[in-house]
Amino acid sequence: MTILVKLADLELSGKTVLIREDYNVPIRDFEISSDIRIRATLPTLTKLLEAGAKVIIISHLGRPIAGKYDEKFSLAPVAKCLGDLLNLSVPLIKNWTNGIDMTDHQIVLCENVRFEKGETMNNDALARKMGRLCQVYINDAFATAHRAQASTHGVAKYAAVSAAGPLLINELKALTKVLRNPETPLVAIVGGAKVSSKLIILETLLEKVDQLIVGGGIINTFLKAAGYEVGKSLYEAELVETASKLMKQAKANGCQIPLPIDVICGKEFNEETIAVTKHISNIETDDIIMDIGPETSKQLSKLIGKANTIFWNGPLGVFEFNQFSQGTENLANSIAESDAYSIAGGGDTIAAISKFNIEDKVSYISTGGGAFLEFLEGKKLPAVEILEEAARAWRAMERAREL
Ligand code: AMP
């Protein structure tokens, strides 16, 4: 990987810096319910201001209709929160694409980039306007790095200098460590709803892990492939054969995909249904498997105990319903108790980590969902690729200047 341009490489005094942050925070009734993403950016923003830069922040929030202002998706609560945390005034700029009047050492937040027509389409004219706003563009939003949009990709073609922020660099470092140089045994846990959305990651991990633990709705397709009854459980008939192949491939690689010994079922997919623990060979045709059972949890905990590196994506059951959350909670506790280097990511995984209060016991929590998976699948992230291109151009210019 080309070494990206970092803040430390740049002279920022008096420069206007456009920084792409990820302020896609949960907001209910115009109140921010978790400001973790905003807090994470404070050290960098402070550093930029201390270095004498004028700082323009851009971010998206949710999925508004392009070209249409909608208060529900306004970054106004973020501007207020940021101002309070920095103890500074952080004006929210509504019309910003054609230029912003700024004073020295000022910091401003632009209104939701996705209100702009062309943002999600990576429109060239919009990207050029963004590039003209600044002398230095910094991308520090890993969670959007798998999307080529005007504020994550196109802008880097037009800004004079494009660099990677520390949050983005840290994410890439942590994920590269697991992907390229993990301390073994490496145990991966992949849960969630469907095999189809995790197929590539399952195939990629099979080549790297010592143990692959599959859970959640995904395991039902594997159970079916092994000849078990899964009743009315969520499973993907068209992927039964693929699951069977993956199990055979695992065996050939000397690793296993363990099947559960017991599971917790209900008759209806809701929170009120009666939860019954069953041996895996006793599933009835009207059962819905919604969690792993206690014996299976014990087995998984032993496997996790042997790991030196743990990768986790996706819950092991319908953890949103309390009576089907135990398997995911036991897994979270096993990871928390382990001395292994652990890395976890994905929207539902982060929600589970926070529900079971193990945030400070996981070595690295990735902020990216799609970007996290795509990077681990070995795909190139467009926002990182363009920063690599920019870094090559910047280094060539620096060398020419030195001659
Ligand atoms: P994903 O986004 O693919 O990681 O899927 C997360 C979702 O999978 C969560 O909302 C869980 O409720 C759901 N899930 C986990 N286990 C099951 C299961 N056995 N049946 C149906 N959905 C499940």
Side-chain angles (χ1 to χ4, degrees):
M1 193 173 103
T2 310
I3 298 174
L4 301 174
V5 179
K6 297 193 271 310
L7 297 195
D9 297 324
L10 303 172
E11 174 50 63
L12 296 167
S13 178
K15 301 260 168 72
T16 303
V17 172
L18 178 74
I19 183 161
R20 173 60 159 99
E21 298 285 18
D22 174 17
Y23 288 154
N24 188 29
V25 293
I27 296 185
R28 201 172 288 160
D29 298 329
F30 304 102
E31 290 280 335
I32 296 171
S33 51
S34 166
D35 63 3
I36 294 175
R37 285 186 168 180
I38 302 173
R39 284 180 187 274
T41 65
L42 298 180
T44 304
L45 298 178
T46 308
K47 217 180 257 174
L48 292 173
L49 290 170
E50 281 172 2
K54 295 175 196 166
V55 182
I56 303 172
I57 313 172
I58 47 175
S59 173
H60 78 284
L61 174 69
R63 294 178 179 197
I65 297 168
K68 207 172 145 207
Y69 175 80
D70 180 346
E71 198 186 5
K72 253 199 339 269
F73 296 104
S74 168
L75 283 170
V78 176
K80 157 106 184 44
C81 174
L82 201 50
D84 291 347
L85 291 169
L86 287 168
N87 204 14
L88 285 170
S89 150
V90 181
L92 178 73
I93 315 289
K94 272 199 172 167
N95 300 312
W96 51 273
T97 54
N98 291 320
I100 305 167
D101 278 334
M102 287 183 78
T103 54
D104 280 347
H105 304 287
Q106 202 190 5
I107 178 166
V108 300
L109 174 65
C110 300
E111 186 53 285
N112 195 341
V113 276
R114 289 196 183 158
F115 286 158
E116 301 301 325
K117 263 194 183 152
E119 160 62 7
T120 56
M121 306 298 285
N122 201 9
N123 175 276
D124 214 43
L126 179 62
R128 192 179 306 127
K129 283 184 176 184
M130 288 182 188
R132 281 196 189 138
L133 291 176
C134 65
Q135 282 135 318
V136 177
Y137 162 74
I138 299 169
N139 190 345
D140 212 10
F142 176 77
T144 57
H146 60 313
R147 302 198 192 284
Q149 302 188 335
S151 70
T152 62
H153 185 270
V155 55
K157 285 194 259 176
Y158 296 105
V161 179
S162 294
L167 297 175
L168 180 71
I169 288 176
N170 283 347
E171 291 267 1
L172 295 173
K173 265 194 201 153
L175 299 189
T176 306
K177 182 179 155 112
V178 172
L179 203 59
R180 303 239 172 93
N181 206 8
E183 207 183 313
T184 56
L186 166 60
V187 174
I189 304 110
V190 180
K194 290 185 168 182
V195 180
S196 46
S197 62
K198 304 276 169 88
L199 191 55
I200 301 172
I201 190 77
L202 288 171
E203 286 170 346
T204 313
L205 287 171
L206 257 190
E207 298 302 318
K208 300 184 187 297
V209 299
D210 298 286
Q211 185 73 57
L212 180 59
I213 297 169
V214 176
I218 296 180
I219 196 67
N220 300 335
T221 305
F222 285 80
L223 284 170
K224 196 81 184 165
Y228 287 98
E229 172 65 58
V230 297
K232 290 197 294 179
S233 309
L234 170 73
Y235 85 98
E236 288 158 286
E238 66 286 6
L239 286 174
V240 170
E241 200 151 306
T242 306
S244 181
K245 263 193 218 146
L246 287 173
M247 286 195 284
K248 279 189 201 130
Q249 194 187 330
K251 235 185 203 164
N253 292 0
C255 91
Q256 268 181 32
I257 301 179
L259 292 176
I261 307 162
D262 54 353
V263 290
I264 309 182
C265 306
K267 297 287 182 197
E268 306 287 337
F269 191 86
N270 61 43
E271 208 155 359
E272 285 74 41
T273 190
I274 296 169
V276 182
T277 302
K278 291 194 172 184
H279 189 272
I280 197 61
S281 42
N282 293 338
I283 305 300
E284 292 170 49
T285 50
D286 60 346
D287 277 331
I288 304 174
I289 301 172
M290 288 198 260
D291 198 6
I292 53 167
E295 287 307 314
T296 307
S297 271
K298 271 190 216 155
Q299 182 200 41
L300 297 191
S301 162
K302 271 191 206 147
L303 294 174
I304 287 165
K306 290 182 190 157
N308 275 323
T309 307
I310 301 167
F311 164 92
W312 179 26
N313 171 261
L316 294 188
V318 187
F319 76 108
E320 299 92 335
F321 299 165
N322 276 339
Q323 52 180 345
F324 300 105
S325 66
Q326 198 59 54
T328 305
E329 181 166 6
N330 291 342
L331 168 71
N333 289 334
S334 301
I335 294 175
E337 282 159 20
S338 160
D339 293 328
Y341 178 82
S342 51
I343 180 161
D348 281 298
T349 314
I350 295 174
I353 285 171
S354 137
K355 179 166 176 169
F356 304 126
N357 271 321
I358 59 155
E359 283 104 333
D360 53 350
K361 306 225 172 66
V362 180
S363 315
Y364 193 82
I365 301 173
S366 172
T367 55
F372 172 75
L373 286 180
E374 288 195 20
F375 186 84
L376 291 165
E377 284 167 2
K379 289 188 187 144
K380 282 268 182 191
L381 304 180
V384 176
E385 251 185 326
I386 194 99
L387 290 181
E388 287 179 341
E389 248 174 62
R392 284 192 288 274
W394 182 78
R395 293 225 150 73
M397 241 166 54
E398 288 291 292
R399 272 196 301 275
R401 215 187 327 222
E402 278 163 20
L403 290 176

